[in-house]
Amino acid sequence: MGREAVEKAFADIRAALAVLNAEVDGCGSEPFSAADPLAGLAEGSLDILAAAGAVEAGVAGLKARAAMSYADTAHALAPLGAPVPAQEMAVAAEIGCVLALGPRAASTFLSVSHALTTTLPLTLAALHAGTISWQHARVMADEASTLDAAGAAALEAHFLDPDTPRPAAAATIGEMPAHRFKHKARTWRERHHTESIRKRHTKAAADRRVEYRPDQDGMAWLSACLPAHQALAGWNRLNALARAAQGPNEPRTLTQLRTDKFAEAILTSGTSATFHADNSAGNGEAASDSDGTGAGLLSPGIRAQVLVTVPVFSLMGLTEEPAVLDGFGPIPASMARDLVAHGADSFHRVLVDPRDGAPLEIGRTSYRVTKAMRSWLRMRDGRCPFHGCSNSSLDNEADHLLAWHHGGTTGISNLGQPCPKHHRLRHTSGWTPTPATKNQPPGWTSPTGRQYKSEHQDWEPPHWPESALSAMPAQPGGHADYLYIPRSPGEESLHRVLYGSS
């Protein structure tokens, strides 16, 4: 019965696919809407896309379980004394042939499948239910691979346990693209790994490297793996150089300009550049705002910026809580301290809620968006708030959600910071942002009326050293007020730390 049941089930699936293809072609037995067939077909096609994605995820979960079932039986049937590596290679080869995968892809598929069926039950259940995709499941497996069993379970629970509290307006991991979930999962892993991020970064930095890979049509890739703050500062600087070179008589695109500036920098002898920190705050913290200039080909008129959020006690060296590099994620506290000590020339005062680390509201009544408010938007959103966009906050534009001439105010709750592309989309199409709050970026409503939730920052309460906790007055509902002021270049000091009622 087993083989016959399988064949019948897949025959039913193929028959269902034929029905769905006919519906997509507009050849179904009944139109989606008799009153407006064209609009009905558009809406119905989106319904089919959404449901197909869920079914696709369920099939991916089935493939993972089938692969591991085959692997287990193949190991059980192997001759006694057969070398385990040889058995694993044979299993990967068989599955690779069945799925038309190369050896590396087959091994990766088996590794993820093993993690899902042995240590990630919530992820596998979500995959079967169609609430996440295979790409999301692979991210979860990748981030959990270096955690112990307890850490992997905690990672899963944070994102998939229905009992984990989360804002109602926040998108679930299945509602955001897998690359955005990867950023959030990596951030959680960095904060909660049993080994300190400083030790892990030291090991990883030893593997820094530049790689070369030939490509088609006389082209090639040249890439570097280096400390995050250097990479991000270089990327931001290339963006600034490229934008400065744009003009009415410049035919090159921004991408071409960025590439040409990169080539000039590495191919000109004697070229040097320095990268400094532009540190903005959040998560209960002291922060700085500084721009560095470069030398040689990198014109001194162009500034390289890096935004860093660093908890004040971590900045003082009293804790080793990770800082957050805007556009990247958690970095070692030692790296943040170095950025502040070598280039930060001004600081922002930031009020945060010690219960969850979220910045508190500020407001303005004038149209002009101040530099402080732009920094606040960076803290709240971290990136362009459009669904799935990863454009970093340095390149984004402040935008009134409710237009000023329609009665909108210039307060954080009425501001977004879309990237130039999605700012244009908002004003040239039917896409509209939904309301925001002091801690929550706007979601979006599509021209078809579908609502897409925003991706929220994963705020966490700042870590307090034991000495501060023992001296702190017990005042529930209070807030922390951190102010860090540089006395003179290279001689920064903590000015005051206050704790009081809201």
Side-chain angles (χ1 to χ4, degrees), residues 161-176:
D161 192 330
D163 294 329
T164 299
R166 53 180 55 89
T172 63
I173 67 168
E175 293 174 322
M176 66 183 73

Side-chain angles (χ1 to χ4, degrees), residues 41-99:
L41 179 59
E43 184 68 23
S45 296
L46 289 176
D47 290 339
I48 289 173
L49 271 175
V55 171
E56 220 170 38
V59 170
L62 173 65
K63 287 169 62 178
R65 295 187 67 242
M68 294 317 300
S69 177
Y70 168 73
D72 291 342
T73 54
H75 285 302
L77 294 171
L80 290 175
V84 172
Q87 294 180 48
E88 292 177 348
M89 187 179 299
V91 167
E94 183 75 42
I95 290 177
C97 289
V98 168
L99 297 178

